[in-house]
Amino acid sequence: RTVLEALATGRAVVTTDTRGCRETVRPRENGFLVPVGDPAGLAKAMLEFLKRPDLIASMADKSRQIAEEEFDVRKVNLAMIEALGLDDHIGERSAS
């Protein structure tokens, strides 16, 4: 959830390459993925922003775009409702 909040607020992201995190980051587009338990990898990713501060704004913009296009709460809720097969029942409830 923290990574999604970062995307929604338009931040460049450095996160671990784990399930749930890796789906939110497009490496070198909106941030960096770091192997779990790799402090050297984390330092390298952070140093990249110090060496190339120009990346921050473009990655932040891309993060916001990804949040809006892929992780909008209405889209996520609708996808869950459809996956659970509840989409037919939503119309019935609002009609009564």
Side-chain angles (χ1 to χ4, degrees):
R1 185 174 174 122
T2 303
V3 179
L4 292 177
E5 291 173 0
L7 297 180
T9 58
R11 300 285 187 255
V13 176
V14 175
T15 191
T16 52
D17 189 5
T18 59
R19 187 179 57 193
C21 292
R22 77 173 59 97
E23 291 81 7
T24 63
V25 174
R26 311 297 177 268
R28 303 204 67 82
E29 288 184 41
N30 73 315
F32 299 102
L33 290 172
V34 177
V36 176
D38 183 0
L42 175 60
K44 181 179 176 185
M46 295 169 69
L47 284 171
E48 191 69 24
F49 286 126
L50 293 175
K51 293 178 192 173
R52 298 270 323 273
D54 58 298
L55 293 176
I56 297 170
S58 63
M59 286 185 173
D61 290 343
K62 183 66 175 180
S63 284
R64 180 64 188 180
Q65 178 186 351
I66 291 169
E68 291 175 1
E69 292 175 359
E70 298 180 33
F71 297 106
D72 178 273
V73 68
R74 292 169 294 241
K75 290 180 182 178
V76 172
N77 288 345
L78 182 59
M80 288 191 310
I81 288 168
E82 289 173 354
L84 292 170
L86 300 174
D87 46 328
D88 292 335
H89 300 290
I90 299 300
E92 293 172 10
R93 189 176 303 173
S94 61
S96 49

